[in-house]
Amino acid sequence: MENVRDPREHYNEEPRHDLMDVMFGFGGMLGFMTVVFAVAVIVKFVIS
């Protein structure tokens, strides 16, 4: 690898799906926060 700046030397070995990554991340965080919210509501009703 003499010319490290040549883009032909660095092909994309692992295709990236950025939109799918963002959707899975957003969906996972939304699901986690929904569970946290539901637990917090249940705990509030149990305490009061």
Side-chain angles (χ1 to χ4, degrees):
M1 257 177 134
E2 296 166 5
N3 188 6
V4 296
R5 301 199 64 142
D6 188 359
R8 292 172 296 181
E9 300 280 329
H10 303 283
Y11 59 92
N12 193 3
E13 296 176 3
E14 177 183 339
R16 306 249 191 261
H17 301 288
D18 293 332
L19 181 61
M20 289 301 290
D21 289 341
V22 169
M23 286 171 53
F24 281 130
F26 186 83
M29 196 63 185
L30 181 66
F32 175 72
M33 286 298 170
T34 303
V35 169
V36 168
F37 174 74
V39 169
V41 168
I42 291 170
V43 167
K44 181 183 181 297
F45 278 124
V46 167
I47 288 175
S48 61

